[in-house]
Amino acid sequence: GAQREAAAPAAAAAGPSRADLLVSESFSPTGLVGTGTIEGGSQGEPAGEEQEEALRVDFSSLAGEAAQLDEAGAAAELLRVTGEVEGMAPNMKAIEQFEEVQERLHAVEGEWDTSRSAARTVSQRFSAVQAQRVERFMSCFSHVSKVIDDIYKELTKVEGVPLGGTAFLSLEDPSEPYLHGIKFTAMPPAKRFRDMEQLSGGERTLAALALLFAMHDYRPSPFFVMDEIDAALDNVNVTSVAKFIRARADEGKLQFVVISLKDNFYEKAQGLVGIYRDRKLQGSNTVTLDLDAVEPLPAGA
């Protein structure tokens, strides 16, 4: 029994256990780790302050600013970087959201292509309509500006000035004539050039009639209805207008209904329709007269 009791301490002193070996093994970043032996000893194992010194991290092998960090600085930098990473709050659905945005982008691009194609089609149609509008406008303008001078001359012929006056049209903007005005200039016979606003009422009436008949020459209509167009005309001009209208009516292509109170106008007519007040009927009544059927009076009667 005594021999067994003496052997037990001897066995305990023979060497430490494996757990004791792992706990007692010191850490050193400079190559001191793992110097303990299975037999329980260690090669150059430091004690006390030397052991703490061996446990410190060696930053000498780092380059740049990292080499200047100590343990406290490294811990502070680690906390800062960790805070930045946590503050970034990465969106785990970013890829899914990117795909959705990309799909919407493709849809919008498709709509844009469709809209661009439609806009191009509309622009082409507009250009075609614009060209047609210019063609039609210039066709009318060219015809009217060509014949208006002859018509005005015929309306303004007087004794002493057999050629009559002069009238012409001009465009304010030839590039886009339908967006701007047309200047109408009329010079009565034996008078200098003046703006239309400076002409007398009778002179403006003759100019307006010339423009009306010139436009009618481009697109003829079957008949005219004129209400006292001779109100501002003197007797000479009334006779000229009446002769012009009668000449057009005799061609058989036009009919004129003219309301007038001047006898030298309606004496050129083919027929008269008179309106009078009927006292018995307490209203208006009409009377007609076919002047072509009436025999003219002999000269000097």
Side-chain angles (χ1 to χ4, degrees), residues 129-144:
V129 172
Q130 188 179 37
Q132 187 178 11
R133 178 172 58 174
V134 172
E135 180 182 359
R136 291 185 178 184
F137 180 89
M138 293 307 299
S139 175
C140 176
F141 176 80
S142 299
H143 182 87
V144 173

PDB file of all heavy atoms in Angstrom, residues 129-144:
ATOM      1  N   VAL A 129     -49.918  68.065 -95.841  1.00  0.00           N
ATOM      2  CA  VAL A 129     -51.061  68.990 -95.804  1.00  0.00           C
ATOM      3  C   VAL A 129     -50.588  70.430 -95.976  1.00  0.00           C
ATOM      4  O   VAL A 129     -51.229  71.233 -96.659  1.00  0.00           O
ATOM      5  CB  VAL A 129     -51.836  68.814 -94.483  1.00  0.00           C
ATOM      6  CG1 VAL A 129     -52.897  69.895 -94.336  1.00  0.00           C
ATOM      7  CG2 VAL A 129     -52.477  67.442 -94.426  1.00  0.00           C
ATOM      8  N   GLN A 130     -49.452  70.762 -95.344  1.00  0.00           N
ATOM      9  CA  GLN A 130     -48.912  72.111 -95.472  1.00  0.00           C
ATOM     10  C   GLN A 130     -48.543  72.427 -96.917  1.00  0.00           C
ATOM     11  O   GLN A 130     -48.835  73.516 -97.421  1.00  0.00           O
ATOM     12  CB  GLN A 130     -47.692  72.257 -94.570  1.00  0.00           C
ATOM     13  CG  GLN A 130     -47.147  73.676 -94.472  1.00  0.00           C
ATOM     14  CD  GLN A 130     -45.961  73.760 -93.546  1.00  0.00           C
ATOM     15  OE1 GLN A 130     -45.131  72.841 -93.514  1.00  0.00           O
ATOM     16  NE2 GLN A 130     -45.854  74.824 -92.784  1.00  0.00           N
ATOM     17  N   ALA A 131     -47.914  71.473 -97.574  1.00  0.00           N
ATOM     18  CA  ALA A 131     -47.557  71.683 -98.975  1.00  0.00           C
ATOM     19  C   ALA A 131     -48.810  71.839 -99.839  1.00  0.00           C
ATOM     20  O   ALA A 131     -48.855  72.687-100.742  1.00  0.00           O
ATOM     21  CB  ALA A 131     -46.709  70.517 -99.472  1.00  0.00           C
ATOM     22  N   GLN A 132     -49.832  71.035 -99.546  1.00  0.00           N
ATOM     23  CA  GLN A 132     -51.081  71.146-100.302  1.00  0.00           C
ATOM     24  C   GLN A 132     -51.766  72.483-100.041  1.00  0.00           C
ATOM     25  O   GLN A 132     -52.322  73.097-100.959  1.00  0.00           O
ATOM     26  CB  GLN A 132     -52.009  69.995 -99.917  1.00  0.00           C
ATOM     27  CG  GLN A 132     -53.262  69.909-100.766  1.00  0.00           C
ATOM     28  CD  GLN A 132     -54.126  68.720-100.380  1.00  0.00           C
ATOM     29  OE1 GLN A 132     -53.897  68.087 -99.353  1.00  0.00           O
ATOM     30  NE2 GLN A 132     -55.108  68.411-101.187  1.00  0.00           N
ATOM     31  N   ARG A 133     -51.695  72.943 -98.785  1.00  0.00           N
ATOM     32  CA  ARG A 133     -52.304  74.230 -98.458  1.00  0.00           C
ATOM     33  C   ARG A 133     -51.598  75.363 -99.190  1.00  0.00           C
ATOM     34  O   ARG A 133     -52.257  76.272 -99.722  1.00  0.00           O
ATOM     35  CB  ARG A 133     -52.256  74.450 -96.948  1.00  0.00           C
ATOM     36  CG  ARG A 133     -52.820  75.785 -96.514  1.00  0.00           C
ATOM     37  CD  ARG A 133     -52.940  75.890 -95.008  1.00  0.00           C
ATOM     38  NE  ARG A 133     -51.663  75.694 -94.352  1.00  0.00           N
ATOM     39  CZ  ARG A 133     -51.480  75.852 -93.040  1.00  0.00           C
ATOM     40  NH1 ARG A 133     -52.515  76.168 -92.262  1.00  0.00           N
ATOM     41  NH2 ARG A 133     -50.294  75.667 -92.500  1.00  0.00           N
ATOM     42  N   VAL A 134     -50.261  75.316 -99.209  1.00  0.00           N
ATOM     43  CA  VAL A 134     -49.513  76.347 -99.921  1.00  0.00           C
ATOM     44  C   VAL A 134     -49.845  76.322-101.407  1.00  0.00           C
ATOM     45  O   VAL A 134     -50.030  77.371-102.038  1.00  0.00           O
ATOM     46  CB  VAL A 134     -48.000  76.146 -99.700  1.00  0.00           C
ATOM     47  CG1 VAL A 134     -47.194  77.092-100.591  1.00  0.00           C
ATOM     48  CG2 VAL A 134     -47.640  76.374 -98.240  1.00  0.00           C
ATOM     49  N   GLU A 135     -49.950  75.120-101.960  1.00  0.00           N
ATOM     50  CA  GLU A 135     -50.253  75.006-103.392  1.00  0.00           C
ATOM     51  C   GLU A 135     -51.626  75.592-103.710  1.00  0.00           C
ATOM     52  O   GLU A 135     -51.777  76.349-104.684  1.00  0.00           O
ATOM     53  CB  GLU A 135     -50.186  73.535-103.803  1.00  0.00           C
ATOM     54  CG  GLU A 135     -50.474  73.291-105.266  1.00  0.00           C
ATOM     55  CD  GLU A 135     -50.446  71.818-105.624  1.00  0.00           C
ATOM     56  OE1 GLU A 135     -50.173  70.996-104.724  1.00  0.00           O
ATOM     57  OE2 GLU A 135     -50.709  71.485-106.800  1.00  0.00           O
ATOM     58  N   ARG A 136     -52.616  75.259-102.894  1.00  0.00           N
ATOM     59  CA  ARG A 136     -53.965  75.774-103.157  1.00  0.00           C
ATOM     60  C   ARG A 136     -54.033  77.276-102.949  1.00  0.00           C
ATOM     61  O   ARG A 136     -54.672  78.004-103.725  1.00  0.00           O
ATOM     62  CB  ARG A 136     -54.971  75.069-102.244  1.00  0.00           C
ATOM     63  CG  ARG A 136     -55.182  73.604-102.583  1.00  0.00           C
ATOM     64  CD  ARG A 136     -56.278  73.005-101.728  1.00  0.00           C
ATOM     65  NE  ARG A 136     -56.542  71.611-102.074  1.00  0.00           N
ATOM     66  CZ  ARG A 136     -57.507  70.883-101.527  1.00  0.00           C
ATOM     67  NH1 ARG A 136     -58.295  71.407-100.594  1.00  0.00           N
ATOM     68  NH2 ARG A 136     -57.682  69.622-101.909  1.00  0.00           N
ATOM     69  N   PHE A 137     -53.381  77.748-101.881  1.00  0.00           N
ATOM     70  CA  PHE A 137     -53.413  79.187-101.619  1.00  0.00           C
ATOM     71  C   PHE A 137     -52.755  79.959-102.754  1.00  0.00           C
ATOM     72  O   PHE A 137     -53.302  80.961-103.235  1.00  0.00           O
ATOM     73  CB  PHE A 137     -52.711  79.478-100.289  1.00  0.00           C
ATOM     74  CG  PHE A 137     -52.688  80.932 -99.929  1.00  0.00           C
ATOM     75  CD1 PHE A 137     -53.715  81.496 -99.201  1.00  0.00           C
ATOM     76  CD2 PHE A 137     -51.630  81.746-100.321  1.00  0.00           C
ATOM     77  CE1 PHE A 137     -53.705  82.837 -98.876  1.00  0.00           C
ATOM     78  CE2 PHE A 137     -51.606  83.083-100.001  1.00  0.00           C
ATOM     79  CZ  PHE A 137     -52.641  83.632 -99.273  1.00  0.00           C
ATOM     80  N   MET A 138     -51.571  79.500-103.163  1.00  0.00           N
ATOM     81  CA  MET A 138     -50.864  80.215-104.211  1.00  0.00           C
ATOM     82  C   MET A 138     -51.574  80.110-105.542  1.00  0.00           C
ATOM     83  O   MET A 138     -51.491  81.030-106.372  1.00  0.00           O
ATOM     84  CB  MET A 138     -49.438  79.666-104.329  1.00  0.00           C
ATOM     85  CG  MET A 138     -48.556  79.963-103.116  1.00  0.00           C
ATOM     86  SD  MET A 138     -48.505  81.719-102.680  1.00  0.00           S
ATOM     87  CE  MET A 138     -47.815  82.414-104.180  1.00  0.00           C
ATOM     88  N   SER A 139     -52.300  79.021-105.767  1.00  0.00           N
ATOM     89  CA  SER A 139     -53.077  78.911-107.002  1.00  0.00           C
ATOM     90  C   SER A 139     -54.157  79.980-107.051  1.00  0.00           C
ATOM     91  O   SER A 139     -54.340  80.659-108.076  1.00  0.00           O
ATOM     92  CB  SER A 139     -53.697  77.512-107.100  1.00  0.00           C
ATOM     93  OG  SER A 139     -54.537  77.413-108.216  1.00  0.00           O
ATOM     94  N   CYS A 140     -54.868  80.145-105.931  1.00  0.00           N
ATOM     95  CA  CYS A 140     -55.909  81.183-105.871  1.00  0.00           C
ATOM     96  C   CYS A 140     -55.298  82.574-105.931  1.00  0.00           C
ATOM     97  O   CYS A 140     -55.772  83.443-106.666  1.00  0.00           O
ATOM     98  CB  CYS A 140     -56.735  81.008-104.603  1.00  0.00           C
ATOM     99  SG  CYS A 140     -57.993  82.276-104.344  1.00  0.00           S
ATOM    100  N   PHE A 141     -54.233  82.781-105.142  1.00  0.00           N
ATOM    101  CA  PHE A 141     -53.623  84.113-105.092  1.00  0.00           C
ATOM    102  C   PHE A 141     -53.085  84.524-106.466  1.00  0.00           C
ATOM    103  O   PHE A 141     -53.259  85.672-106.898  1.00  0.00           O
ATOM    104  CB  PHE A 141     -52.510  84.131-104.054  1.00  0.00           C
ATOM    105  CG  PHE A 141     -51.756  85.428-103.998  1.00  0.00           C
ATOM    106  CD1 PHE A 141     -52.279  86.514-103.315  1.00  0.00           C
ATOM    107  CD2 PHE A 141     -50.528  85.558-104.634  1.00  0.00           C
ATOM    108  CE1 PHE A 141     -51.589  87.716-103.270  1.00  0.00           C
ATOM    109  CE2 PHE A 141     -49.840  86.759-104.591  1.00  0.00           C
ATOM    110  CZ  PHE A 141     -50.370  87.843-103.905  1.00  0.00           C
ATOM    111  N   SER A 142     -52.431  83.595-107.137  1.00  0.00           N
ATOM    112  CA  SER A 142     -51.856  83.928-108.443  1.00  0.00           C
ATOM    113  C   SER A 142     -52.946  84.316-109.441  1.00  0.00           C
ATOM    114  O   SER A 142     -52.795  85.287-110.203  1.00  0.00           O
ATOM    115  CB  SER A 142     -51.042  82.740-108.972  1.00  0.00           C
ATOM    116  OG  SER A 142     -49.979  82.427-108.089  1.00  0.00           O
ATOM    117  N   HIS A 143     -54.044  83.565-109.422  1.00  0.00           N
ATOM    118  CA  HIS A 143     -55.126  83.871-110.362  1.00  0.00           C
ATOM    119  C   HIS A 143     -55.778  85.210-110.041  1.00  0.00           C
ATOM    120  O   HIS A 143     -56.009  86.039-110.938  1.00  0.00           O
ATOM    121  CB  HIS A 143     -56.169  82.761-110.322  1.00  0.00           C
ATOM    122  CG  HIS A 143     -57.288  82.960-111.293  1.00  0.00           C
ATOM    123  ND1 HIS A 143     -57.232  82.524-112.602  1.00  0.00           N
ATOM    124  CD2 HIS A 143     -58.503  83.570-111.158  1.00  0.00           C
ATOM    125  CE1 HIS A 143     -58.344  82.847-113.232  1.00  0.00           C
ATOM    126  NE2 HIS A 143     -59.140  83.489-112.364  1.00  0.00           N
ATOM    127  N   VAL A 144     -56.063  85.441-108.766  1.00  0.00           N
ATOM    128  CA  VAL A 144     -56.733  86.685-108.377  1.00  0.00           C
ATOM    129  C   VAL A 144     -55.844  87.887-108.652  1.00  0.00           C
ATOM    130  O   VAL A 144     -56.295  88.914-109.180  1.00  0.00           O
ATOM    131  CB  VAL A 144     -57.142  86.625-106.892  1.00  0.00           C
ATOM    132  CG1 VAL A 144     -57.675  87.975-106.421  1.00  0.00           C
ATOM    133  CG2 VAL A 144     -58.198  85.553-106.680  1.00  0.00           C
TER     134      VAL A 144
END
